[in-house]
Amino acid sequence: MTATDTPVSALQAPGPKGRIVLSIDAMGGDRGPATVVAGMARSARKNTDIEFILHGPRAELEKLVAKRRHLTDRVEIRDASDVVTMDDKPSQVVRHGKQTSMWSALDAVRAGDASVCVSCGNTGALMALSMMRLRKLPGVNRPAIAVLWPSRNPQGFNVMLDVGADIRADENDLLQYALMGSSYARNGLHLERPRVGLLNVGTEEHKGRSELKAAHELIQTASVAANFEFVGFVEGGDIPGNRCDVIVTDGFTGNVALKTGEGTASLIGDLLKEAFKFSPLSRIAALLALTSMRRLKKRIDPRRVNGGVFLGLNGPVVKSHGSADATGVSAAIKLAYQLALSGFQDKIAARVASAVSLAQDAAQRETGTE
Amino acid sequence: MTATDTPVSALQAPGPKGRIVLSIDAMGGDRGPATVVAGMARSARKNTDIEFILHGPRAELEKLVAKRRHLTDRVEIRDASDVVTMDDKPSQVVRHGKQTSMWSALDAVRAGDASVCVSCGNTGALMALSMMRLRKLPGVNRPAIAVLWPSRNPQGFNVMLDVGADIRADENDLLQYALMGSSYARNGLHLERPRVGLLNVGTEEHKGRSELKAAHELIQTASVAANFEFVGFVEGGDIPGNRCDVIVTDGFTGNVALKTGEGTASLIGDLLKEAFKFSPLSRIAALLALTSMRRLKKRIDPRRVNGGVFLGLNGPVVKSHGSADATGVSAAIKLAYQLALSGFQDKIAARVASAVSLAQDAAQRETGTE
C-alpha cells in the first residue's frame, strides 16, 4: 500500500513508503521509559511498517533505543526535558508544560508528523493538553474516553464511552458519543453495523433522567444514517454482556462503572488464589488448573485491552494504563497502529460532520415550515 | 428478654413473649409462594423466636404451611387475592393495589403487628407502596435502598446506598444516606464506628459534581456527632475494596455500579467454567478444585447477601431478589430478623432526627448572628 492508495488527511498521512508513524510519550508511566521502549520493541517486531517518534530526555532515550538493534533506524527521538507526573494538575500542565514529553508527543500529531499519540501519563493532564494542542473536532462539544471492556460478545469486547473525560453529558453529547463509539467499534472491532446501547437504570423507555430520554430519541433518529443498530436503554449488567457492542454514558457513571468492574474482577482473582491455597488438595488442583487459569487470565487480562482512546479531537490519542508493563504498552501501540491503518480519524471526523449537517438541515426545515 | 426490657416504639414491638414478628409477602417472586415458605421454614428452624405474618391467597398458603409442622403454630395467614407482578407499574399498584399481598404485608408493619416487611416482588412497586403505606421518616427527603457488597473488609461486606430508590440525590440526600448507611452498618454488620466514603470519580477534594463537593462538607461536619469516620471521596474500585464500610452515592450511579459488579462477577464465573471444560486435564483439575470453588462461591454467593433494605421509612422493608430460591429467601429473612432484634428502626429514626435538629440549630444560630 502506498500513501496514494487511500484518501487521507495530513493528520492521517502514513510516513514515507506507506509506513505508519506513531508518536510515543516515553515518560510519565509508573515504570519509566525502559518499559515504554520495551513495548515499542515488541510492536516493532510484529508490525514491520511501524515507525516511532519518541519524546523525552534525549540522552536517556538514545541509550535505551540503542540496546534494541531492530529499533534504531525506526525511531526518531525528540528531546523534551520535563515530565508530567501523576500528581501534576491539568491546569498547570496546560500553562507550564511546554517542555514536557507529553506536550511534544501531542505536537507531533498536531504537526502531521505522526498519526496517533500514545502516552502512559496522567489522564487528566493528557486530556487537557490534547484538547489544547489538537483541538476538538468541529461539532464535538465534549470529547470522550472510550475503553474496550471484556464481554460476552463474539468479539470478546464492548466499547464503553465516556469513562471519564468529563463528569457530565447532555443529550447532544450522548449522541456524539454514540456516533464516535460506533465509528470506533467499526474500525477497532471490525463490526460493520455495531449495536449501540444507552446506559440507564432500567430498560423501559419512560425511565431515567430527562437528558437520557432526549438522547434516546436523538440516537434513535441518527442510527439509520450512521449505520448502527440502536438497542435502546441498557443496564449495568449489559456492560459485560451481549446486548450491544457500544455502551454510551456520561463520564461520571462510566468512570464509576469501569472502576467497579475492575475492582470486582481483581477481588474475585484474589479470592480465587486464596481458595486454591486453602488445603494441600486444592494446591494440587491449582497446579493442574494452571493452564485453565492462564487461559482465563489471558481472556480478561486488562493488559490485552490496554488503552483508552480519546475521541472527538483532531487526531486520536491512546492513553495506556500508568502501570502498564511492556505487554501493556505494546497492546496500546497495537491499538494505535490499527486505528492509524484503518484511517479512523478521517472516518470519525466525517461521521461527526455529517451528523452536524443533518442536525442543521433539520433545524432549517423546521424554520422553513414556520 | 421480654418486651419491657428495651425501649421500643409500637412499630418495633416484639410479639408476645419477646418474639420477633416478621411480615412476609408470599407472592411476586419468580418461584412462587412454595419457595418463600421453604425459606421461612429454614429460618424458623434456626431462630426459634421468629414468628411470621404471611400474606397471599389463604387456601394456597394454608396448604404450603401445613406441610411444615414446625411452622404451623408460628404463622398467621392474612388473605390477599391479588399479586403485584414484575410488569406492574408502581403508579398503578399505588392506585389499585389494595387487594395485593404486597400491600397487606406493608400494612402489617404499619399497624405495628410486625417489625419488618420482607418481599421478593417488583422493586419499583414495593418502594412506591412502602412510601405510601409506611411514609418517610421525618427529616428524610428521599428514602434509599442499601445493599451489602462483597469486599476486602474484615467483615467481608460493604454497605452501599442508594442503589436505585431514586435516580437523583442532592447534598442533603447524600448526608441522610451517610447517616442511615452508618446506622445500618452498625446494626447489620456490627461495626461500632463505620468508615463512610462518598463515591466520586477521583479522590481529590476539588473533583466531581458540585453537589458532591457540598455533600463532602456536610458529611464531614456530621461525622463527629453521628460517630462515624468520614474517609472522603472514594472511587468505583473501593466498592469491593477496604477503604470504607459504607459507600454513599445517588441511586443512578449506585444502580449502574451494582449491576456492573454483578455482571462482571457472573461473566468471570462463566469464563471460569469454560476454562475448566477446555481439556481432559483441566476437567480433572476442576474436579479437584471443586471444594476450593465452592468455598469461593460461598464467599461471593449473592444469595448469602440477599436483601436490599429500604431505609428512611417508618419501618424497614427488606427486598429479596425476585429470583431468590429458599436459601435466598432465608437470607433475606435472617437480615430482617437481625434488624428487628437490634432495634434498628428506632436507632435510625433517632439518628436522622438528631441530624435534623442539629441542622435547625445551625440555621437558628446563623439567623441569630445576622
Side-chain angles (χ1 to χ4, degrees):
Chain A
M1 192 185 87
T2 68
T4 52
D5 279 351
T6 3
V8 283
S9 77
L11 278 179
Q12 274 298 299
K17 297 168 257 164
R19 305 204 128 198
I20 299 282
V21 183
L22 303 176
S23 178
I24 314 285
D25 176 7
M27 314 305 287
D30 303 347
R31 298 174 191 233
T35 301
V36 173
V37 174
M40 288 164 55
R42 285 191 194 203
S43 299
R45 224 175 263 120
K46 279 184 216 149
N47 297 294
T48 51
D49 54 344
I50 304 189
E51 292 186 351
F52 301 100
I53 305 177
L54 186 63
H55 308 262
R58 183 181 298 278
E60 191 176 356
L61 299 186
E62 271 174 352
K63 268 188 224 157
L64 290 170
V65 171
K67 282 188 202 157
R68 318 261 175 181
R69 289 263 165 95
H70 70 292
L71 272 186
T72 42
D73 59 335
R74 292 163 68 181
V75 179
E76 175 197 334
I77 293 170
R78 293 199 182 166
D79 189 44
S81 51
D82 269 14
V83 177
V84 177
T85 69
M86 290 295 173
D87 302 324
D88 282 338
K89 286 196 180 162
S91 55
Q92 284 187 316
V93 175
V94 165
R95 275 198 298 275
H96 309 295
K98 213 170 174 179
Q99 307 303 324
T100 62
S101 57
M102 190 185 275
W103 187 298
S104 178
L106 290 165
D107 268 17
V109 173
R110 179 187 162 107
D113 301 337
S115 308
V116 184
C117 172
V118 178
S119 174
C120 304
N122 178 329
T123 308
L126 184 61
M127 180 47 100
L129 262 192
S130 298
M131 286 179 66
M132 181 209 186
R133 301 310 295 158
L134 300 177
R135 301 271 161 202
K136 292 185 278 186
L137 273 178
V140 170
N141 176 34
R142 296 181 207 270
I145 304 176
V147 291
L148 295 177
W149 189 295
S151 81
R152 294 176 195 273
N153 275 345
Q155 70 269 18
F157 299 99
N158 279 329
V159 172
M160 177 155 88
L161 74 169
D162 175 26
V163 298
D166 208 317
I167 53 169
R168 57 185 71 77
D170 66 17
E171 54 266 35
N172 290 307
D173 299 325
L174 294 168
L175 169 63
Q176 295 295 353
Y177 296 173
L179 294 167
M180 300 194 297
S182 55
S183 249
Y184 180 38
R186 215 173 280 121
N187 294 281
L189 296 178
H190 312 292
L191 298 169
E192 208 166 313
R193 194 158 177 270
R195 298 165 298 163
V196 174
L198 182 59
L199 192 59
N200 199 346
V201 294
T203 53
E204 300 90 350
E205 287 192 24
H206 61 277
K207 273 200 172 177
R209 296 168 171 162
S210 62
E211 73 268 24
L212 287 177
K213 288 176 222 170
H216 190 286
E217 219 179 298
L218 289 176
I219 296 174
Q220 181 80 68
T221 308
S223 65
V224 183
N227 194 31
F228 63 79
E229 182 190 341
F230 183 48
V231 303
F233 289 137
V234 296
E235 299 187 273
D238 296 314
I239 299 178
N242 186 22
R243 280 199 62 213
C244 53
D245 309 299
V246 179
I247 317 266
V248 170
T249 187
D250 67 275
F252 186 92
T253 311
N255 186 274
V256 168
L258 177 71
K259 290 183 176 165
T260 304
E262 287 176 346
T264 304
S266 138
L267 173 66
I268 294 176
D270 289 354
L271 292 175
L272 207 56
K273 271 184 222 147
E274 255 176 56
F276 274 121
K277 277 185 199 152
F278 194 73
S279 69
L281 188 63
S282 59
R283 278 167 201 265
I284 295 170
L287 270 178
L288 287 175
L290 212 60
T291 46
S292 303
M293 287 304 176
R294 285 212 183 114
R295 210 156 32 237
L296 170 63
K297 207 179 164 191
K298 202 179 164 193
R299 171 82 164 75
I300 56 169
D301 186 352
R303 296 179 308 168
R304 279 187 62 231
V305 290
N306 181 32
V309 180
F310 293 4
L311 301 176
L313 303 161
N314 289 303
V317 176
V318 174
K319 163 69 177 82
S320 158
H321 253 294
S323 60
D325 59 9
T327 308
V329 171
S330 172
I333 290 174
K334 185 182 166 194
L335 177 58
Y337 171 73
Q338 285 173 337
L339 292 177
L341 204 63
S342 69
F344 172 63
Q345 182 60 27
D346 288 319
K347 292 177 183 166
I348 199 170
R351 179 65 70 206
V352 170
S354 79
V356 171
S357 72
L358 273 177
Q360 282 168 346
D361 288 355
Q364 278 169 357
R365 273 198 307 277
E366 266 181 39
T367 321
T369 57
E370 262 170 7
Chain B
M1 191 183 86
T2 68
T4 51
D5 280 351
T6 1
V8 283
S9 77
L11 279 178
Q12 274 299 302
K17 295 169 257 161
R19 307 206 124 197
I20 299 282
V21 183
L22 303 177
S23 177
I24 314 284
D25 177 6
M27 314 304 287
D30 302 348
R31 299 175 188 231
T35 300
V36 174
V37 174
M40 288 163 54
R42 285 192 194 203
S43 299
R45 225 174 265 121
K46 279 183 215 151
N47 297 295
T48 51
D49 53 345
I50 303 187
E51 291 187 351
F52 301 100
I53 306 177
L54 186 64
H55 309 261
R58 181 180 300 277
E60 192 177 353
L61 298 185
E62 273 174 349
K63 268 187 226 157
L64 289 169
V65 171
K67 280 187 203 158
R68 319 260 175 181
R69 289 262 165 95
H70 70 293
L71 272 186
T72 42
D73 60 334
R74 291 162 68 180
V75 179
E76 174 196 336
I77 294 171
R78 294 198 181 168
D79 190 42
S81 51
D82 271 11
V83 177
V84 176
T85 70
M86 289 296 173
D87 303 323
D88 282 339
K89 287 193 180 164
S91 55
Q92 284 188 319
V93 175
V94 165
R95 276 197 298 274
H96 310 295
K98 212 170 173 178
Q99 307 302 323
T100 61
S101 57
M102 191 184 275
W103 187 298
S104 178
L106 288 165
D107 270 16
V109 174
R110 180 188 160 106
D113 301 339
S115 309
V116 184
C117 172
V118 178
S119 174
C120 305
N122 179 330
T123 308
L126 184 60
M127 181 45 99
L129 262 191
S130 298
M131 285 179 66
M132 180 208 185
R133 300 311 294 160
L134 299 178
R135 300 273 164 200
K136 292 184 279 187
L137 274 177
V140 171
N141 176 35
R142 299 181 206 271
I145 305 177
V147 291
L148 295 178
W149 189 295
S151 81
R152 295 177 195 271
N153 275 345
Q155 71 269 17
F157 298 100
N158 279 328
V159 172
M160 178 156 87
L161 76 167
D162 173 28
V163 298
D166 207 316
I167 52 169
R168 58 185 72 76
D170 67 16
E171 55 266 35
N172 290 306
D173 299 325
L174 293 169
L175 168 63
Q176 295 295 352
Y177 296 173
L179 294 168
M180 299 194 298
S182 55
S183 250
Y184 181 35
R186 214 171 281 121
N187 294 281
L189 296 178
H190 312 292
L191 298 169
E192 208 166 311
R193 192 158 178 268
R195 296 165 300 164
V196 174
L198 182 58
L199 192 60
N200 199 346
V201 293
T203 52
E204 299 89 350
E205 286 194 23
H206 62 277
K207 273 199 170 177
R209 298 169 169 159
S210 61
E211 73 268 26
L212 288 177
K213 288 175 221 171
H216 190 285
E217 218 180 298
L218 289 177
I219 296 173
Q220 180 79 69
T221 307
S223 64
V224 182
N227 193 29
F228 61 79
E229 182 190 345
F230 182 48
V231 302
F233 289 137
V234 296
E235 299 189 271
D238 297 315
I239 299 177
N242 186 23
R243 278 199 62 214
C244 54
D245 309 300
V246 178
I247 317 265
V248 170
T249 187
D250 67 276
F252 186 93
T253 310
N255 187 276
V256 168
L258 177 70
K259 289 184 176 163
T260 303
E262 286 175 348
T264 303
S266 139
L267 173 65
I268 295 176
D270 289 355
L271 292 175
L272 207 56
K273 270 184 221 146
E274 255 175 57
F276 275 121
K277 276 184 198 153
F278 194 74
S279 70
L281 189 63
S282 60
R283 278 167 201 268
I284 295 171
L287 271 177
L288 287 176
L290 212 60
T291 45
S292 302
M293 288 302 177
R294 285 213 183 112
R295 207 158 32 235
L296 171 63
K297 207 179 162 188
K298 203 180 164 192
R299 170 79 164 77
I300 57 168
D301 186 352
R303 298 179 307 170
R304 279 187 60 230
V305 288
N306 183 33
V309 179
F310 293 3
L311 301 177
L313 303 161
N314 289 303
V317 176
V318 174
K319 163 68 176 82
S320 159
H321 252 293
S323 60
D325 59 9
T327 308
V329 172
S330 171
I333 290 174
K334 185 182 167 196
L335 177 58
Y337 170 73
Q338 284 173 335
L339 292 178
L341 204 62
S342 68
F344 172 63
Q345 183 61 26
D346 289 318
K347 291 177 184 168
I348 198 170
R351 179 64 70 203
V352 170
S354 78
V356 170
S357 69
L358 274 177
Q360 283 168 344
D361 289 354
Q364 279 170 355
R365 272 197 306 275
E366 266 180 40
T367 321
T369 57
E370 263 170 7

